[in-house]
Amino acid sequence: MEVCGSLRPCSSGFLPSLTTMRDSYKGFSATQLQPQQVSFDLTGSGKSKPRLVSVQRKSTEPMPPLKPNPVAMCQITREDWLRANNVNYRRLESSRRHAESFWRETSRLIQSKEQLTRRTQSDSSRWIGERITEISFWRSELGFELEQLLRDTERLRQVKFRLDRALKETDGPLQEVTVIRSSQEQLERTRDKVQKQLESNRRVQHQLETDMDDKHRALQIDSYCHTLTNCSPATSYYPDLSLVDISVSVPVSWVQYSEDNIGKSTSERRATRELTELVEGTLVAAARDMWSQYNRVNAAFTLRVNQTTHARNTLQQHLAKTLQEMHQTERTISDLEGSIWAKRTPLRVAQSRLEERTHRPNIELCRDQPHTRLLSEVSGLQDTVLSLRQRLSEAQATLQQLAGCKSVLEQELYTKAHSLFIDQERCLGLRKTYPSTPRLVGYT
C-alpha cells in the first residue's frame, strides 16, 4: 500500500500551482515555521478529521534541522484517504457543474443581450428614420408656410409702398381740401394697420425661420445618427448621458410647437390678405372720391371761368360805350365853350352901343326902337350865355360821372382779368397735373 511513501504531483487542472520561492515564506516567524504534527480524531463520530498539532519550542533553543518522520507520514489510513479524495471529487464536480451552468447562462445572456442590442439598435435606427421623416415633413410644411408668408408680406409691402405714393400724390391737388384731407386720414389709418401687420408678419417669420433652422440642424444630426452602425469608427462611450435628461420637449409638445407656428402664420396670412383687400378697396375708393371731386371742381372752375369771361366781355362793352359817351360829352363841352366864347363879341358890341347911346344930349336920350332892340339883344345874349354856361356845367358833370364809371369799369375789368388769370391759367393749369387713377392707387 502506497499511502505514505508515495507523493505524486497534482494535476494543474484540479489544484492551483504552489510556489516554492523563498519569498513565499517572508512574513512568517520562526514559531510559525516549526514542524507540526497531523493527528486524526477517530472518536465515536465515525469520521476522522485530520488536524494539525503544533510543537511548541522555546524561542531560546535553536531549531533543529527538519527530518522526515515516517511514523507521522503514515498516520492516514486508506479509508481516510479515499474519503478525502471523494470529498475533493464531489467538490470539484460541483465546481465544474457550477462553472458549466455559469458558462451556459453566460452564453445565453450574451446571446440575449446581443439580440437585445441588435433589436434596440434596429429600433433606434427605425425611430431615427421616422424622426427624420417627421422632421422633413414639418420642415417642408414650415418652408411652404414661410414661402406663403413671405409672398403675402411682399404683397402687403408693395401695397404699403403704393399707399405711401398715393399719400404723396395727394399733396399736390390740395384745393379740394375736405375730400383730400379725408382721403389722407383714411389712407394714413390704413397705412398704420399695414405697418402693424407687417411687424406681426416679421415676428411670425422669425419664429418660422428659427423653427426651420432648428429642424434643419436636427435633421442633420438625426441623419448622421441614422448612418452610424457598429462598424462606424466615430463612436465613443458616453456613460453619463443616460443619467441626465436634457430634453426640452416631448413628441406631443414638439409637434404642437410647429403646429402653433404654422397656425400663427396662417392666421397672420389670413389677416394680411384681408388687410391687402382692405387697402385695395381703400385706394380705389379714395381715388374714386378724389376723381369725382376733381371732376366736380373742374366743372365748377369751367362754369366760373365762363361766367367771369362773360362778365368781362360785358364790362368791356360798357367801357367802350362809356368811352364813346365821354368823347361825345367832351365834344359837347368843347362846342358849348366855343359857343359861349362866340357870344362875347355880340354882347360886347350890343353893350357898347347902349353905352354910346347914353351919351346922347338932352332930349335925344329917347327910349326909341333901337334902344329897345339893343336892350332886348343884350338881355337875349346874356340869357343865352347863362343857358350855355348851365349846359356847360351839366356837360362837365356828365363827363365827370362818365369818368367815374370808366374808372369803376376799368377796376372791374382788372379784377375780372385777374380772376380769369388765377382760375384759368393758375388753377386749371395746376389741375392739369392732377394725378391719374393709377397714380392715386399707388401703381406709378
Side-chain angles (χ1 to χ4, degrees), residues 94-105:
S94 175
S95 298
R96 284 197 302 271
R97 284 195 302 270
H98 177 72
E100 183 179 359
S101 175
F102 178 77
W103 174 78
R104 289 177 180 176
E105 290 178 358

Side-chain angles (χ1 to χ4, degrees), residues 83-251:
R83 190 179 297 110
N85 286 338
N86 290 331
V87 171
N88 289 330
Y89 293 157
R90 285 193 297 270
R91 185 172 63 252
L92 293 175
E93 185 67 23
S94 175
S95 298
R96 284 197 302 271
R97 284 195 302 270
H98 177 72
E100 183 179 359
S101 175
F102 178 77
W103 174 78
R104 289 177 180 176
E105 290 178 358
T106 302
S107 298
R108 286 194 298 270
L109 179 62
I110 290 174
Q111 292 177 359
S112 64
K113 294 301 181 182
E114 182 66 24
Q115 292 176 358
L116 178 61
T117 300
R118 288 195 296 269
R119 185 170 61 253
T120 304
Q121 190 178 59
S122 178
D123 291 341
S124 298
S125 299
R126 178 172 57 83
W127 282 108
I128 290 177
E130 293 179 358
R131 186 66 171 177
I132 290 173
T133 303
E134 291 179 356
I135 292 176
S136 300
F137 168 75
W138 285 110
R139 187 181 66 169
S140 63
E141 289 294 320
L142 290 169
F144 175 77
E145 188 65 28
L146 180 61
E147 181 180 357
Q148 297 295 323
L149 179 63
L150 290 176
R151 184 180 62 186
D152 293 342
T153 302
E154 182 61 27
R155 281 190 59 195
L156 190 60
R157 188 177 290 109
Q158 292 177 359
V159 168
K160 180 179 179 295
F161 181 67
R162 287 169 52 196
L163 275 173
D164 294 335
R165 289 196 295 191
L167 282 172
K168 186 177 180 181
E169 291 297 331
T170 59
D171 293 335
L174 281 177
Q175 286 75 11
E176 298 91 80
V177 177
T178 304
V179 176
I180 292 179
R181 289 299 183 190
S182 176
S183 299
Q184 282 183 336
E185 292 175 359
Q186 187 176 6
L187 292 176
E188 288 175 354
R189 288 194 300 268
T190 306
R191 184 176 62 179
D192 294 338
K193 293 180 180 179
V194 170
Q195 185 64 34
K196 293 179 180 178
Q197 185 62 45
L198 286 174
E199 293 175 358
S200 299
N201 288 357
R202 280 194 292 269
R203 287 194 296 269
V204 174
Q205 177 184 347
H206 176 70
Q207 292 178 355
L208 288 176
E209 289 175 346
T210 302
D211 198 0
M212 281 193 63
D213 293 339
D214 293 343
K215 282 181 171 48
H216 179 70
R217 178 57 180 162
L219 182 61
Q220 289 179 340
I221 293 174
D222 287 346
S223 298
Y224 173 73
C225 293
H226 193 260
T227 59
L228 291 178
T229 61
N230 294 334
C231 299
S232 299
T235 57
S236 301
Y237 288 106
Y238 300 97
D240 295 335
L241 290 180
S242 60
L243 302 178
V244 180
D245 186 8
I246 60 174
S247 302
V248 296
S249 64
V250 295

Side-chain angles (χ1 to χ4, degrees), residues 318-412:
H318 283 285
L319 179 61
K321 291 180 181 180
T322 300
L323 291 175
Q324 184 178 1
E325 290 295 332
M326 288 180 66
H327 179 67
Q328 184 64 37
T329 301
E330 288 176 351
R331 290 181 59 184
T332 300
I333 291 174
S334 177
D335 291 342
L336 288 172
E337 288 178 347
S339 178
I340 292 173
W341 180 265
K343 296 297 185 291
R344 292 179 62 187
T345 300
L347 181 60
R348 187 173 61 247
V349 171
Q351 288 179 350
S352 294
R353 286 176 178 177
L354 283 175
E355 197 277 332
E356 286 295 333
R357 294 195 71 194
T358 59
H359 295 290
R360 288 179 301 171
N362 304 317
I363 197 66
E364 292 297 325
L365 289 172
C366 181
R367 182 178 297 271
D368 54 4
Q369 188 67 25
H371 182 78
T372 303
R373 295 298 300 176
L374 285 173
L375 290 175
S376 176
E377 181 182 6
V378 170
S379 177
L381 286 173
Q382 288 177 346
D383 292 339
T384 299
V385 171
L386 181 61
S387 175
L388 290 176
R389 287 184 183 279
Q390 185 177 359
R391 295 294 296 178
L392 178 62
S393 298
E394 293 177 357
Q396 289 177 344
T398 300
L399 181 62
Q400 187 68 28
Q401 183 179 3
L402 289 175
C405 292
K406 171 178 173 291
S407 177
V408 171
L409 288 174
E410 289 177 346
Q411 183 65 32
E412 288 293 326

Side-chain angles (χ1 to χ4, degrees), residues 291-327:
W291 264 101
S292 298
Q293 183 66 22
Y294 171 77
N295 293 328
R296 288 194 294 269
V297 172
N298 276 354
F301 265 115
T302 302
L303 178 62
R304 184 61 176 172
V305 167
N306 293 334
Q307 292 175 348
T308 306
T309 302
H310 180 268
R312 184 195 62 180
N313 295 335
T314 303
L315 288 174
Q316 286 177 346
Q317 293 175 1
H318 283 285
L319 179 61
K321 291 180 181 180
T322 300
L323 291 175
Q324 184 178 1
E325 290 295 332
M326 288 180 66
H327 179 67

